[in-house]
């Protein structure tokens, strides 16, 4: 019988390992301990076949919901790098709580070590590619505190596409000067290395604090403390492409 759109078959131990981000061995331990049920019946076989879209699986009484991909918003603190693993430095993946960890997660885009704010962590390579592709122009908004007050000349320079060191011309960027003129919101449509800092440097100013507060149509959740993360629901992730 051909598989319908509603059927995706998996081995039980593989499903638990993938969805809970544990090893296959640990997944089997749950089954061995009789802590796993499938549709209300205690599971006994590691290789039991389940339909991940239809069957209800619980582990220690908690339902394991099937997600093809996961999208996580993290409020990155200073001193942490946007990488999967590093020998010497703490990475955003190291900070994830156990319940959000799973195989294949990576940060979609980079913030500098000393930049705070919104990092999207996912295992969805296709979405990440779309966000990061130079052709997609997903806007990213940063709050910056500057060494000196910003002025209207800077708004114009950014609007026209400022040339940064090395002769690289930036795409037009938005700049809003806040009531304290040393504070600004800057909107970029591309992601060059150290771009915000280099743009202000080229304009004769310096960034002293930087935080990303929005990617596309999704704002950083103000309730997330530094280093905290929460899942972005599948129904909300499409807002990444809804710009303001
Ligand atoms: N621009 C920067 O200069 N640093 C970041 O981390 C992000 C954008």
């Amino acid at each position: 019988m051909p598989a319908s759109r509603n059927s995706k078959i998996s081995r039980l131990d593989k499903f638990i390992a993938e969805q809970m981000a544990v090893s296959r061995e640990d997944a089997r331990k749950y089954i061995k301990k009789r802590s796993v049920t499938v549709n209300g019946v205690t599971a006994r076989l590691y290789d039991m076949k389940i339909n991940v879209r239809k069957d209800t699986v619980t582990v220690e009484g908690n339902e394991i919901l099937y997600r093809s991909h996961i999208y996580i918003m993290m409020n990155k603190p200073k001193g942490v790098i946007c990488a999967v693993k590093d020998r010497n430095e703490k990475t955003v993946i190291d900070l994830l709580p156990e319940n959000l960890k799973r195989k294949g997660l990576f940060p979609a885009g980079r913030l500098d070590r000393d930049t705070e704010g919104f990092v999207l962590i996912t295992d969805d390579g296709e979405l990440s590619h779309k966000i990061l592709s130079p052709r997609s122009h997903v806007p990213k908004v940063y709050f910056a505190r500057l060494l000196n007050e910003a002025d209207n000349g800077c708004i114009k320079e950014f609007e026209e596409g400022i040339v940064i060191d090395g002769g690289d011309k930036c795409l037009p960027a938005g700049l809003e000067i806040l009531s304290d003129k040393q504070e600004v919101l800057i909107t970029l449509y591309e992601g060059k290395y150290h771009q915000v800092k280099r743009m202000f440097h080229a304009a004769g100013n310096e960034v002293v604090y930087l935080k990303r507060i929005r990617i596309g149509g999704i704002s950083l959740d103000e309730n997330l403390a530094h280093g905290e993360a929460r899942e972005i629901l599948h129904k909300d992730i499409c807002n990444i492409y809804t710009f303001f």
Side-chain angles (χ1 to χ4, degrees):
M1 202 167 51
S4 79
R5 264 161 50 86
N6 268 342
S7 86
K8 182 171 187 300
I9 306 300
S10 171
R11 279 176 62 117
L12 182 58
D13 55 357
K14 181 168 181 274
F15 173 78
I16 294 170
E18 282 174 358
Q19 298 300 316
M20 293 180 68
V22 296
S23 65
R24 198 71 86 88
E25 201 183 336
D26 284 342
R28 289 176 183 166
K29 281 187 193 151
Y30 286 120
I31 300 171
K32 200 168 174 189
K33 279 196 296 178
R34 305 278 183 260
S35 306
V36 178
T37 67
V38 176
N39 301 326
V41 178
T42 303
R44 289 162 193 278
L45 298 176
Y46 304 153
D47 65 350
M48 177 182 180
K49 300 289 182 295
I50 59 158
N51 180 341
V52 301
R53 297 213 168 93
K54 281 192 172 162
D55 292 327
T56 304
V57 177
T58 68
V59 174
E60 296 184 329
N62 299 312
E63 187 173 346
I64 308 302
L65 295 175
Y66 171 69
R67 291 157 302 172
S68 50
H69 289 297
I70 187 169
Y71 308 96
I72 296 165
M73 170 191 290
M74 175 176 282
N75 183 5
K76 180 183 115 45
K78 282 185 185 169
V80 171
I81 62 167
C82 285
V84 175
K85 238 183 196 175
D86 192 89
R87 269 208 204 166
N88 306 312
E89 309 253 20
K90 196 164 256 192
T91 73
V92 287
I93 302 296
D94 295 332
L95 292 189
L96 286 175
E98 283 308 314
N99 66 326
L100 291 180
K101 279 193 178 158
R102 70 190 251 175
K103 282 193 195 107
L105 288 176
F106 59 91
R110 282 167 191 252
L111 292 180
D112 297 337
R113 196 174 183 282
D114 63 352
T115 301
E116 295 178 359
F118 190 171
V119 176
L120 177 67
I121 298 171
T122 184
D123 57 358
D124 184 346
E126 208 174 310
L127 179 97
S128 167
H129 176 73
K130 279 195 205 152
I131 295 173
L132 301 178
S133 153
R135 270 173 285 132
S136 75
H137 306 312
V138 171
K140 302 186 185 83
V141 183
Y142 297 82
F143 167 84
R145 182 155 180 87
L146 306 171
L147 188 61
N148 303 306
E149 290 188 352
D151 57 29
N152 291 342
C154 194
I155 296 182
K156 193 154 182 288
E157 276 185 285
F158 283 10
E159 228 171 48
E160 287 170 356
I162 193 166
V163 176
I164 52 181
D165 52 340
D168 215 355
K169 187 171 164 75
C170 295
L171 287 179
L175 183 65
E176 185 186 338
I177 302 173
L178 302 178
S179 52
D180 173 344
K181 292 193 162 67
Q182 279 174 276
E183 293 185 344
V184 295
L185 295 179
I186 168 165
T187 305
L188 299 187
Y189 299 87
E190 58 183 340
K192 298 183 197 295
Y193 184 62
H194 293 333
Q195 185 165 346
V196 176
K197 292 171 188 163
R198 289 161 74 206
M199 285 171 72
F200 280 104
H201 184 75
N205 207 331
E206 297 298 331
V207 171
V208 293
Y209 171 83
L210 189 60
K211 178 177 185 172
R212 183 157 66 194
I213 58 170
R214 189 196 274 248
I215 301 176
I218 302 186
S219 295
L220 178 67
D221 183 341
E222 287 174 5
N223 296 317
L224 286 179
H226 290 138
E228 277 187 353
R230 72 153 170 84
E231 198 169 343
I232 301 172
L233 300 179
H234 278 213
K235 72 177 176 54
D236 294 332
I237 195 70
C238 56
N239 291 330
I240 283 273
Y241 297 105
T242 315
F243 309 148
F244 311 87

